[in-house]
Amino acid sequence: MSNLRLLNETSGSSVTTMSVTDVFTSDFDIYKITLYSESSSEQETHIRLINSDGSTITASDYQYVQLFLRSYAAYSTVQSTGDSIFRLITGSEDDYGGYAVVWVFNPTNTSSYTYILSQMSRGYDLGNDNGFDYNSNKNIGVLENTNSMTGFHILNNNTVSADYTARTYGLRVDS
């Protein structure tokens, strides 16, 4: 039997960053994060992980590949083998909002890297009176660091403020 258990809900209003600490423990190997963001200006929301001494990992240890899907243009991929963030987890523009589901694997296991899978959808203003549309992406990533991770840090690519709500669940697998 498997169960998702709500461990934490954190919200921030009119902020550019938000930390969610002490949510990853040895009680779970798999976590689900739901993340909502809303901003009046265009912004991309990124994630960094926080290790057991409370430091946000900012080194170039993040690797990811994304499939970026748009109804108004061809799909594209974005990848990095040495970034300081997991890029574009979600985002927002013109108060349309964005929503993501992020799965985190083995964050406290010091014998393994930490992996993520995510997908998001967000509203997007096409500009020049071309209207409004949605875009989405699917993302897979790895943090090449074997420290125990205990939380995550949300940041955006602009200095514009946004409203965030993050819910963290642990996936319990009982035998």
Side-chain angles (χ1 to χ4, degrees):
M1 177 188 307
S2 297
N3 296 313
L4 278 177
R5 297 188 183 170
L6 179 62
L7 304 175
N8 178 281
E9 181 174 332
T10 301
S11 295
S13 181
S14 297
V15 298
T16 58
T17 67
M18 184 175 82
S19 291
V20 179
T21 59
D22 301 322
V23 291
F24 303 148
T25 68
S26 59
D27 292 340
F28 303 94
D29 292 326
I30 302 170
Y31 294 84
K32 177 183 179 182
I33 300 166
T34 61
L35 177 60
Y36 176 76
S37 71
E38 184 176 328
S39 174
S40 61
S41 299
E42 181 179 357
Q43 59 90 10
E44 296 179 353
T45 301
H46 314 302
I47 286 183
R48 289 182 170 141
L49 296 179
I50 299 172
N51 69 21
S52 59
D53 72 5
S55 300
T56 302
I57 305 297
T58 59
S60 298
D61 295 336
Y62 296 86
Q63 294 189 33
Y64 56 83
V65 63
Q66 296 177 343
L67 176 61
F68 195 62
L69 306 165
R70 303 170 285 225
S71 62
Y72 52 88
Y75 75 88
S76 62
T77 58
V78 177
Q79 63 186 31
S80 177
T81 58
D83 210 330
S84 62
I85 54 173
F86 286 128
R87 182 180 175 267
L88 191 55
I89 297 301
T90 190
S92 179
E93 183 172 354
D94 297 341
D95 293 320
Y96 293 126
Y99 187 80
V101 176
V102 182
W103 290 93
V104 181
F105 301 89
N106 301 317
T108 63
N109 185 340
T110 58
S111 299
S112 174
Y113 292 149
T114 300
Y115 295 87
I116 70 158
L117 292 172
S118 70
Q119 57 188 27
M120 72 89 168
S121 178
R122 69 177 181 155
Y124 190 75
D125 184 351
L126 297 173
N128 300 325
D129 296 323
N130 291 324
F132 167 81
D133 213 328
Y134 285 95
N135 59 41
S136 62
N137 76 13
K138 291 185 168 274
N139 180 26
I140 184 169
V142 60
L143 174 63
E144 289 190 326
N145 183 315
T146 57
N147 289 333
S148 179
M149 302 300 149
T150 58
F152 57 96
H153 180 75
I154 299 164
L155 63 154
N156 69 44
N157 67 325
N158 292 323
T159 56
V160 297
S161 59
D163 297 336
Y164 293 108
T165 301
R167 290 182 182 90
T168 307
Y169 302 83
L171 179 63
R172 170 80 68 194
V173 180
D174 299 320
S175 47

